[in-house]
Amino acid sequence: MRTQQTNLLVLGGGPGGYVAAIRAGQLGIPTVLVEGERVGGTCLNVGCIPSKALIHAADEFEKARHWANGSALGIRVQQPAIDIAQTVRWKDGIVGRLTGGVGSLLKKAGVQVLAGWGTIRDGKSVDVQMASGGMGSDTVRVQCEHLLLATGSVPLELSSMPFSGPSGGPVISSTEALSPDALPKRLVVVGAGYIGLELGLAYRKLGAEVAVVEATERVLPSYDEELTRPVLATLKRLGVVLHLGCSVEGLAGDGRGVRVRSVRADEFVLPADKVLVAVGRRPRTEGFGLESLLLEMSGRSVRVDEQCRTSMRNVWAIGDLAGEPMLAHRAMAQGELVAEVIAGHRRSFMPAAIPAACFTDPEVVVAGLDPAAAERAGLDVLSAAFPFAVNGRAMSLESTDGFVRVVARRDNHLIVGWQAVGRGVSELATAFGQSLEMAARLEDVAGTIHAHPTLGEAVQEAALRALGRALHV
Ligand code: FAD
Ligand code: NAD
């Protein structure tokens, strides 16, 4: 067995791990990154990027089909069709360009990438079973001063309906849903959260019949109800069948359907060619010797402090492994921070807000506190919303559903939260995050000239409205 030394060993090359490694390399820290599958992790390979590509393809196809029925804009289209194999190849091309780019950035930063699975021996050494090992005996032992754990997360499985795996069976996770060989005629989605609704809507637009089974009484239950109403309207318009307050009991006897139980305890079968299970993800903590470190845990995730230190000295954890919110931008921010702390910078992870965007139709974006959360936090707040129905840009985009809402302290007008639903509003995360991070007051946003005509004008108008002086509503 070969042995080598490094200062920092990063286990896992997702957005958390690869950003940490790049920043550490830039700071002159000798760094080894160990990745068992492909750099870019869940996000670039089977998460954020491929899902947004598929959603875009589905949107474009639906637009063409909509036009085929006649268009107020005067566009004429005849019999649009989709070649899903080509769609998947196009999506894979984007993934390939991005993961190739990450490989180049790691190289430029002087990071050594070991392609293989790592097994933790102790807090200062990891055995890497090299992917190119040929006879399977090529193991490298890497000894390090600092061990950064960035192993991400895996989809939760239902015990009544385990994933079919590579057999091509009916029960799939988001990974398989992002690379379909063919479009299923009937798709049942279990879970109306981020993945269930983003991909459920995309499959519906691509032409599948889609039914969604959700345990709670609402879609996107982590968001407030007013925000999800326009999404609910789209689901209805597109004919996505919702079974709320229902749980799945397992596959039907012939494997061509799902047995579902409602709150009233009646059971029925939903026909399905594929079943996408999207009931959440859990940190990846098993199968690589993590338990031998006896780290303090917080539920299923590794407990970390505000510098992403675990309970063991010089062992760090970031990203999905360190719990909620399981979002790529949080993993990246933590990765950058850990590299800088190891380099001796004074940093701590205390963001004013971590924005979250859901790429449904229309999109939803939140940052900071909504009115109910602010109240729970004991704040006396005022809030105001500005509807896209009276925004000129929204009208010209034929997309007037939704609104922007601001939440601010009543006493000093400090903004504590933003929420929006509407076409393209994920891009407003930037404005929302900046205003919260810079401790903006309502007057700061209301007094900023926003370009016309843009959807962003609704941000300024929401602030004006909260001050009692809206101009356009
Ligand atoms: P991961 O990206 O999971 O990376 C972990 C890496 O570690 C993997 O590459 C894995 O192979 C490797 N690894 C694990 N164990 C070992 C080992 N022992 N040895 C070697 N390598 C190992 N987030 C957003 O912010 N926006 C979105 O739009 C979004 N969309 C998503 C869509 C889908 C379908 C999914 C599934 C997730 C989405 N997410 C999104 C979540 C996002 O992908 C994750 O939050 C993010 O990837 C977490 O980054 P990470 O670095 O913690 O872990
Ligand atoms: P989720 O937590 O967003 O949603 C899971 C849904 O499943 C919830 O509505 C829950 O009530 C429901 N549920 C749970 N158990 C159930 C059961 N037995 N039967 C029926 N419904 C059940 O989880 P997800 O959609 O799997 O996504 C996982 C994570 O990935 C997200 O939490 C997020 O962190 C990340 N993600 C983010 C984005 C984004 O940022 N746009 C997109 C996709 C995924």
Side-chain angles (χ1 to χ4, degrees), residues 11-18 34-49 51-52 116-119 150-154 174-175 178 194-195 198-199 281 284 287-288 318-321 325-332 357 359:
L11 190 59
Y18 87 69
V34 178
E35 171 53 58
E37 290 182 2
R38 282 167 298 171
V39 289
T42 304
C43 175
L44 266 59
N45 292 291
V46 290
C48 328
I49 298 299
S51 63
K52 269 76 247 181
W117 281 97
T119 302
T151 53
S153 63
V154 291
S174 52
T175 299
L178 290 168
Y194 278 93
I195 294 176
E198 286 187 0
L199 295 187
R281 294 178 64 87
R284 191 198 290 250
F288 59 96
I318 56 173
D320 287 7
L321 178 68
M326 293 195 193
L327 297 171
H329 40 284
R330 172 203 181 235
M332 290 192 253
F359 294 80

Side-chain angles (χ1 to χ4, degrees), residues 188-363:
V188 168
V189 176
V190 186
Y194 278 93
I195 294 176
L197 286 200
E198 286 187 0
L199 295 187
L201 275 163
Y203 266 76
R204 179 68 195 125
K205 290 178 179 182
L206 290 169
E209 290 167 25
V210 176
V212 179
V213 180
E214 162 61 43
T216 70
E217 294 294 338
R218 289 182 42 214
V219 299
L220 294 175
S222 61
Y223 293 131
D224 76 66
E225 197 163 0
E226 217 183 330
L227 269 181
T228 59
R229 219 168 274 144
V231 180
L232 197 58
T234 306
L235 290 164
K236 289 204 171 126
R237 176 173 58 78
L238 293 174
V240 173
V241 182
L242 297 177
H243 298 279
L244 303 176
C246 290
S247 58
V248 291
E249 302 278 295
L251 283 178
D254 61 0
R256 309 285 294 173
V258 180
R259 286 183 293 118
V260 178
R261 184 176 292 278
S262 79
V263 263
R264 291 167 301 282
D266 44 337
E267 200 178 299
F268 55 95
V269 172
L270 282 176
D273 303 305
K274 291 282 178 194
V275 185
L276 166 59
V277 175
V279 294
R281 294 178 64 87
R282 65 174 171 81
R284 191 198 290 250
T285 53
E286 288 153 12
F288 59 96
L290 178 71
E291 51 290 337
S292 67
L293 297 182
L294 298 174
L295 299 179
E296 272 178 32
M297 304 295 285
S298 173
R300 286 174 143 169
S301 54
V302 172
R303 183 191 290 278
V304 291
D305 69 8
E306 71 289 345
Q307 289 188 313
C308 300
R309 296 176 193 271
T310 69
S311 54
M312 184 179 274
R313 194 163 180 272
N314 290 351
V315 177
W316 315 71
I318 56 173
D320 287 7
L321 178 68
E324 297 285 348
M326 293 195 193
L327 297 171
H329 40 284
R330 172 203 181 235
M332 290 192 253
Q334 290 182 324
E336 187 203 24
L337 173 128
V338 169
E340 296 193 350
V341 174
I342 290 173
H345 299 196
R346 285 167 62 94
R347 294 282 314 270
S348 53
F349 189 71
M350 288 198 284
I354 301 174
C358 189
F359 294 80
T360 39
D361 178 1
E363 294 176 354

Side-chain angles (χ1 to χ4, degrees), residues 19-278:
V19 166
I22 289 173
R23 186 69 189 121
Q26 290 172 345
L27 291 163
I29 299 168
T31 302
V32 171
L33 173 70
V34 178
E35 171 53 58
E37 290 182 2
R38 282 167 298 171
V39 289
T42 304
C43 175
L44 266 59
N45 292 291
V46 290
C48 328
I49 298 299
S51 63
K52 269 76 247 181
L54 196 71
I55 289 165
H56 174 65
D59 284 349
E60 296 301 284
F61 182 50
E62 200 233 347
K63 222 185 264 174
R65 289 207 306 175
H66 174 66
W67 288 336
N69 293 325
S71 142
L73 281 65
I75 299 169
R76 300 279 174 266
V77 173
Q78 280 173 1
Q79 295 184 334
I82 186 149
D83 171 358
I84 196 71
Q86 169 56 25
T87 310
V88 171
R89 276 196 297 277
W90 166 77
K91 179 263 301 177
D92 289 344
I94 295 170
V95 169
R97 282 206 294 286
L98 283 170
T99 53
V102 168
S104 306
L105 292 170
L106 287 162
K107 200 170 170 189
K108 189 172 140 204
V111 174
Q112 184 190 359
V113 178
L114 293 183
W117 281 97
T119 302
I120 297 169
R121 292 188 69 242
D122 55 49
K124 292 216 177 294
S125 64
V126 169
D127 285 349
V128 184
Q129 181 71 51
M130 299 297 286
S132 56
M135 304 301 287
S137 58
D138 191 3
T139 303
V140 178
R141 178 159 297 170
V142 187
Q143 291 169 336
C144 57
E145 282 303 308
H146 296 273
L147 173 59
L148 172 54
L149 306 171
T151 53
S153 63
V154 291
L156 279 173
E157 194 164 51
L158 292 174
S159 56
S160 62
M161 219 167 46
F163 292 119
S164 304
S167 68
V171 187
I172 59 172
S173 73
S174 52
T175 299
E176 293 77 35
L178 290 168
S179 293
D181 298 330
L183 280 171
K185 188 170 174 313
R186 295 160 310 185
L187 174 73
V188 168
V189 176
V190 186
Y194 278 93
I195 294 176
L197 286 200
E198 286 187 0
L199 295 187
L201 275 163
Y203 266 76
R204 179 68 195 125
K205 290 178 179 182
L206 290 169
E209 290 167 25
V210 176
V212 179
V213 180
E214 162 61 43
T216 70
E217 294 294 338
R218 289 182 42 214
V219 299
L220 294 175
S222 61
Y223 293 131
D224 76 66
E225 197 163 0
E226 217 183 330
L227 269 181
T228 59
R229 219 168 274 144
V231 180
L232 197 58
T234 306
L235 290 164
K236 289 204 171 126
R237 176 173 58 78
L238 293 174
V240 173
V241 182
L242 297 177
H243 298 279
L244 303 176
C246 290
S247 58
V248 291
E249 302 278 295
L251 283 178
D254 61 0
R256 309 285 294 173
V258 180
R259 286 183 293 118
V260 178
R261 184 176 292 278
S262 79
V263 263
R264 291 167 301 282
D266 44 337
E267 200 178 299
F268 55 95
V269 172
L270 282 176
D273 303 305
K274 291 282 178 194
V275 185
L276 166 59
V277 175

